[in-house]
Amino acid sequence: MMNITLKVWRQKNCNSKGAFESYPVEGVSPDMSFLEMLDMLNERLIKKGIEPIAFDHDCREGICGTCSMVINGRPHGPIKGVTTCQLHMRSFKDGDNIVIEPYRAKAFPIIKDLVVDRSSFERIMVAGGYVSVRTGNAQDANAIPIGKHEADEAFNAAACIGCGACVASCKNSSAMLFVGAKVSQYALLPQGKPERKDRVLNMVAAMDAEGFGNCSNTGACEATCPKGLNLTHIARLNREYISAVLS
Amino acid sequence: MGWFTKALSTSIGKKLLVGLTGMFLSIFLVVHLYINLHLFKNDGGETFRAMAEFMGTTWAVKVLEFGLLLGFILHIVYSILVTIQNKAAKPAGYGASPNPGTSKASSRNMIWLGLLLGVFLVIHLQGIYFKAKFGHEAHDIYELTLSVMSDPAWAVVYLISMVALAIHLKHGFQSAFQTFGLNVPKYKGMIEAVAILFWVGVPAAFASIPVYFAFLGGK
Ligand code: SF4
Ligand code: FES
């Protein structure tokens, strides 16, 4: 069992100021997930009549992208390629001080404690993150041939779970890795090609309107993305944008 | 024309403009360096003078000079616009400092390196270019340049500026290709190799001139 100290950002609502609070947590099992450790702390806080720490989570298996927090200065914590919900306390040591804060970005306003409003991502998706398909029977899987390389790259892009860690880690709060992933996953596949031009123009416009910053190629996003997306998706976004503007 | 200005006003458009103007300025750097290196030629400045004469009197060069001024202005203005937007997008930082190694220092400090280079640009325009072009007394461009290059105080300023230039180019040169969408696995190695050659080679070659004349006793 481990004893740790958490320094957690507490903020009542979007209008209040917020500050760090320290909480010693005793009896932490190394087998606990990070969120289970927070659950345990919350139960103890409730018993003491203290408002539990609000944080986002849903699937707890690394696929929904809901768990959002910055652990020791890094979204999703210290382990590469791992979401917060899949992070385990064995990644920390007895006696550790762990700082937990919400994502920081103008386009992700804080709702409460560690919970931020990421509906700006939804609005970017609504602007073009889809393929308009007529309903009907599913086609035969081999009716549209797709090259292995394209299929793999589209799959890599589609691995993005929309968690927003790229925005959180970027010093400019740029959403270009996310948008690059979404634009890529469609642009690479035949089904997405007919709408690729409008898609990239509309999604970039939506991204700008939400107040995300500009990519300055620092690479913090690819270093923190739990799904291993890299800057080639941003290069593709730029390429798609340039060809959409010029064609 | 509307589509064009609209495209340049978006986040990617602004970056494109910074990248394109940066590339243009980089080409100019190479031309400038090519001329400067003729200071090493042992012909009493004949070639250097002829080149300066050509640069100062040919109308095509004069047109390019306007382009250069425009390039500088756009590069600076758009970089500032982008930086202001970026700062506004991140209203608060983090309490815990982020893991080191998740981003490169050069990428985080482009605007400050740029500012330093801007100051150097003004100093060196004032020290050489304006004096030769608009100065009251007639200056021999070769003698003037040599006297400036042989001044140790100036050489130190020059060297510091070349370090700033190197770091600025280190990030900028490669970043421009990323912004143009060309930084794909196929070209990545090639771009990286040219980038190293460029960000190390160009500032080092520029710096070799004051080092030679101010510190190594070159005449
Ligand atoms: S690109 Fe990576 S970090 Fe960004 S939203 Fe998608 S999964 Fe999260
Ligand atoms: S809770 Fe779904 S990815 Fe973490």
Side-chain angles (χ1 to χ4, degrees):
Chain A
M1 289 295 167
M2 309 155 43
N3 297 329
I4 54 169
T5 307
L6 300 185
K7 209 173 134 193
V8 186
W9 186 262
R10 302 302 310 260
Q11 185 170 333
K12 211 163 176 284
N13 54 45
C14 57
N15 298 319
S16 57
K17 235 178 128 247
F20 281 108
E21 292 277 348
S22 280
Y23 302 98
V25 195
E26 275 133 35
V28 177
S29 157
D31 295 331
M32 275 180 175
S33 79
F34 197 82
L35 296 186
E36 279 167 345
M37 180 273 297
L38 284 179
D39 290 337
M40 185 174 81
L41 170 63
N42 272 346
E43 274 168 23
R44 291 177 187 172
L45 290 181
I46 292 168
K47 277 201 189 117
K48 281 197 219 155
I50 301 172
E51 177 89 8
I53 300 159
F55 61 89
D56 259 336
H57 60 102
D58 190 16
C59 72
R60 296 208 178 192
E61 52 187 15
I63 53 173
C64 73
T66 312
C67 52
S68 54
M69 57 184 81
V70 174
I71 304 164
N72 286 344
R74 190 173 168 132
H76 294 299
I79 312 288
K80 205 171 158 55
V82 168
T83 54
T84 299
C85 58
Q86 299 266 288
L87 179 68
H88 286 82
M89 294 313 293
R90 53 178 168 268
S91 302
F92 299 90
K93 290 192 309 293
D94 187 35
D96 268 1
N97 287 303
I98 305 173
V99 184
I100 313 176
E101 322 169 57
Y103 284 1
R104 297 287 187 186
K106 185 173 146 223
F108 289 165
I110 295 176
I111 298 174
K112 185 183 174 138
D113 296 340
L114 305 173
V115 181
V116 298
D117 178 358
R118 281 170 288 171
S119 53
S120 45
F121 266 17
E122 305 288 330
R123 289 186 289 275
I124 295 176
M125 289 306 277
V126 168
Y130 53 81
V131 176
S132 322
V133 211
R134 292 177 207 282
T135 50
N137 284 340
Q139 291 204 41
D140 181 78
N142 295 323
I144 311 169
I146 301 170
K148 168 90 170 109
H149 177 72
E150 278 71 32
D152 284 351
E153 262 301 283
F155 189 83
N156 289 343
C160 165
I161 53 175
C163 66
C166 42
V167 174
S169 62
C170 174
K171 76 170 175 57
N172 313 325
S173 295
S174 166
M176 285 204 190
L177 190 60
F178 167 73
V179 178
K182 297 303 164 193
V183 163
S184 292
Q185 86 184 43
Y186 298 108
L188 285 160
L189 295 179
Q191 293 88 340
K193 290 216 156 86
E195 292 166 304
R196 68 198 291 185
K197 187 174 158 177
D198 286 340
R199 178 180 303 114
V200 68
L201 294 177
N202 292 338
M203 287 181 90
V204 167
M207 172 180 84
D208 289 353
E210 294 294 342
F212 291 104
N214 308 278
C215 172
S216 56
N217 207 16
T218 73
C221 56
E222 74 173 5
T224 32
C225 172
K227 297 298 154 185
L229 276 88
N230 56 35
L231 296 180
T232 54
H233 298 290
I234 300 183
R236 189 178 298 103
L237 169 69
N238 294 337
R239 219 156 52 236
E240 286 287 314
Y241 182 82
I242 294 167
S243 66
V245 166
L246 294 180
S247 65
Chain B
M1 217 33 207
W3 65 270
F4 186 68
T5 44
K6 204 172 133 206
L8 287 183
S9 68
T10 64
S11 50
I12 299 182
K14 284 203 231 43
K15 295 280 306 167
L16 274 171
L17 209 75
V18 174
L20 284 169
T21 49
M23 276 304 172
F24 177 59
L25 297 177
S26 297
I27 295 171
F28 161 72
L29 265 185
V30 175
V31 176
H32 191 327
L33 175 64
Y34 175 74
I35 297 175
N36 277 22
L37 287 177
H38 283 84
L39 285 168
F40 285 134
K41 207 167 177 189
N42 235 340
D43 61 357
E46 202 180 313
T47 325
F48 187 78
R49 267 190 215 100
M51 283 181 154
E53 169 84 14
F54 174 80
M55 294 305 269
T57 51
T58 317
W59 67 267
V61 177
K62 283 187 178 161
V63 173
L64 278 178
E65 218 168 36
F66 263 108
L68 192 64
L69 183 67
L70 192 70
F72 268 115
I73 291 172
L74 286 176
H75 192 74
I76 293 166
V77 168
Y78 271 73
S79 299
I80 293 173
L81 282 179
V82 166
T83 307
I84 290 174
Q85 242 170 22
N86 290 349
K87 290 264 178 272
K90 195 103 192 160
Y94 294 109
S97 49
N99 268 24
T102 51
S103 68
K104 288 187 212 90
S106 58
S107 72
R108 282 180 267 119
N109 296 301
M110 288 300 274
I111 197 80
W112 307 117
L113 292 163
L115 187 78
L116 208 79
L117 290 173
V119 171
F120 172 72
L121 186 74
V122 172
I123 299 178
H124 112 297
L125 278 178
Q126 199 211 27
I128 302 177
Y129 180 82
F130 289 152
K131 252 195 198 159
K133 206 163 175 140
F134 312 114
H136 294 305
E137 343 142 36
H139 284 285
D140 175 56
I141 182 80
Y142 177 73
E143 297 293 337
L144 178 64
T145 312
L146 263 198
S147 74
V148 172
M149 293 289 177
S150 317
D151 175 357
W154 168 255
V156 170
V157 173
Y158 201 104
L159 285 179
I160 294 171
S161 307
M162 286 308 108
V163 172
L165 177 67
I167 306 172
H168 196 79
L169 287 175
K170 180 176 190 278
H171 180 73
F173 193 79
Q174 209 166 334
S175 267
F177 287 98
Q178 167 75 357
T179 305
F180 303 153
L182 296 172
N183 211 358
V184 291
K186 192 172 178 177
Y187 306 133
K188 214 176 157 94
M190 201 161 76
I191 292 171
E192 267 164 22
V194 177
I196 292 180
L197 217 71
F198 201 84
W199 76 262
V200 178
V202 171
F206 267 115
S208 70
I209 301 167
V211 166
Y212 179 70
F213 289 107
F215 301 127
L216 301 177
K219 290 229 171 21

